[in-house]
């Protein structure tokens, strides 16, 4: 299949084009994602009803309310309190991506997004960082771009360049490689590199947020994950061709010059692509 796709590109060089460059201010600070992460980010998201898209009804501050669907957590107007919540389901192996949606106008100070082992602080008087506020959690403060762990500021993120003018948009992707012990973030189509490394091996890690803004609503969605194994030739070939064509994973527009069987493969994933469809290219 990989040879077929590569041969098609060679025979149709006019169809290959450069990947559109993002206009995001995060682009100069981004890094090339590892191959497994690039494949994962190119995959379609799982169904919205996945249990990994829900906040925990118990591991949260008493000042936070989980909506009926479990995918959003809300903070009422409570004075001088820092409040945290974590997801209902964690991961201990594999590479995973969650989406956090948090409006810029609902953050204030100490708006942190990260992961916890399930033992982090969930509520404290005053305004402080809870995710990253102890040895059991790691967090990125969205307003100041500071990294927190062990109750201390441990650096700035992303690395390099000027971050004073950076405004983190509403949508943030949290990348957890439980096998490598890595936590990172994606803004738009920009992978910002490793924020933390050496996360505890084998520990169950939960996406977590901490908030001080009254009226804030924070949405969680699990996008997808990969096991700890080498990417398939099908995934690698699909990613290479889609990048060469400049296709976005959300684009469903048909390409008239593309054979129908190839088009189906490029729009599918390993999980949805049937054996018969693969055989048509052999």
């Amino acid at each position: 299949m990989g040879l077929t796709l590569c041969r098609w590109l060679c025979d149709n060089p006019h169809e290959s084009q450069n990947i559109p460059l993002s206009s995001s201010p995060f682009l100069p600070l981004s890094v090339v994602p590892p191959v497994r992460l690039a494949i994962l980010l190119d995959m379609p998201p799982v169904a919205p009803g996945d249990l990994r898209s829900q906040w925990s009804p118990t591991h949260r501050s008493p000042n936070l309310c989980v909506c009926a669907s479990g995918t959003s957590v809300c903070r009422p107007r409570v004075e001088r309190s820092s409040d945290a919540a974590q997801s209902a389901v964690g991961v201990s192996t594999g590479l995973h991506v969650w989406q956090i949606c948090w409006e810029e106008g609902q953050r204030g100070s100490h708006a942190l997004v990260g992961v916890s082992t399930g033992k982090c602080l969930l509520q404290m008087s005053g305004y402080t960082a809870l995710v990253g506020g102890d040895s059991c959690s790691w967090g990125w403060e969205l307003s100041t771009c500071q990294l927190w762990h062990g109750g201390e500021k441990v650096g700035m993120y992303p690395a390099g360049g000027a971050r004073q003018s950076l405004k983190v948009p509403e949508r943030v992707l949290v990348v957890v490689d439980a096998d490598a012990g890595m936590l990172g973030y994606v803004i738009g189509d920009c992978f910002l590199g490793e924020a933390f490394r050496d996360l505890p091996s084998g520990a169950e890690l939960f996406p977590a947020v901490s908030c001080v803004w009254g009226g804030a609503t924070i949405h969680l969605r699990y996008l997808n994950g990969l096991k700890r194994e080498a990417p398939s030739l099908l995934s690698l070939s699909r990613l290479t061709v889609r990048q060469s064509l400049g296709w976005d994973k959300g684009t469903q527009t048909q390409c008239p010059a593309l054979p129908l069987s190839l088009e189906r493969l490029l729009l599918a994933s390993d999980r949805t692509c049937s054996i018969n469809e693969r055989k048509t290219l052999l």
Side-chain angles (χ1 to χ4, degrees):
M1 183 270 192
L3 291 175
T4 303
L5 289 174
C6 294
R7 185 170 61 247
W8 183 87
L9 277 179
C10 292
D11 294 340
N12 298 269
H14 61 284
E15 295 295 341
S16 180
Q17 50 187 293
N18 294 329
I19 306 170
L21 293 178
S22 169
S23 59
S24 168
F26 288 90
L27 180 61
L29 304 176
S30 65
V31 301
V32 177
V35 173
R36 289 178 68 232
L37 178 56
I39 291 174
L40 180 56
L41 294 174
D42 191 59
M43 294 169 59
V46 300
D50 192 284
L51 292 177
R52 290 165 291 188
S53 294
Q54 297 185 356
W55 294 107
S56 171
T58 55
H59 287 79
R60 60 176 175 83
S61 165
N63 294 326
L64 297 179
C65 304
V66 179
C67 70
S69 66
T71 59
S72 301
V73 65
C74 304
R75 183 185 185 276
R77 300 187 183 280
V78 181
E79 294 185 0
R80 299 197 58 78
S81 177
S82 298
D83 305 287
Q86 70 176 42
S87 65
V89 179
V91 296
S92 57
T93 61
L95 176 65
H96 304 268
V97 177
W98 284 265
Q99 174 183 276
I100 300 286
C101 287
W102 190 347
E103 291 185 16
E104 294 181 57
Q106 297 183 359
R107 293 174 184 168
S109 64
H110 302 94
L112 288 105
V113 174
V115 297
S116 163
T117 60
K119 299 179 181 179
C120 76
L121 296 171
L122 297 176
Q123 196 276 330
M124 182 176 290
S125 298
Y127 301 134
T128 187
L130 292 183
V131 177
D134 55 25
S135 61
C136 300
S137 59
W138 299 258
W140 182 34
E141 211 289 300
L142 302 183
S143 300
T144 61
C145 292
Q146 295 171 335
L147 294 175
W148 283 78
H149 177 59
E152 299 179 348
K153 303 171 187 176
V154 294
M156 299 292 292
Y157 182 84
R163 292 169 292 263
Q164 300 91 324
S165 60
L166 289 179
K167 291 185 178 181
V168 179
E170 175 181 358
R171 180 174 175 268
V172 178
L173 301 189
V174 178
V175 179
V176 177
D177 189 335
D179 301 317
M182 185 277 292
L183 170 64
Y185 300 87
V186 175
I187 301 294
D189 56 359
C190 299
F191 174 54
L192 304 181
E194 293 183 350
F196 294 96
R197 63 181 65 184
D198 298 326
L199 272 62
S201 177
E204 193 169 12
L205 300 171
F206 301 80
V209 296
S210 64
C211 177
V212 299
W213 187 267
T217 300
I218 308 169
H219 308 275
L220 175 70
R221 184 179 179 186
Y222 178 76
L223 296 184
N224 223 319
L226 288 174
K227 297 180 180 180
R228 186 177 184 178
E229 56 188 24
S232 67
L233 178 58
L234 177 62
S235 297
L236 290 169
S237 300
R238 180 186 296 114
L239 176 65
T240 301
V241 175
R242 286 170 63 92
Q243 289 180 338
S244 298
L245 294 173
W247 278 21
D248 181 80
K249 67 179 180 180
T251 301
Q252 300 295 325
T253 305
Q254 293 183 348
C255 178
L258 199 64
L260 183 58
S261 57
L262 283 176
E263 184 178 328
R264 286 199 300 266
L265 281 171
L266 293 177
L267 292 175
S269 67
D270 283 359
R271 299 172 184 174
T272 60
C273 181
S274 69
I275 296 177
N276 289 334
E277 285 179 320
R278 300 183 196 188
K279 286 182 177 179
T280 61
L281 294 174
L282 298 179

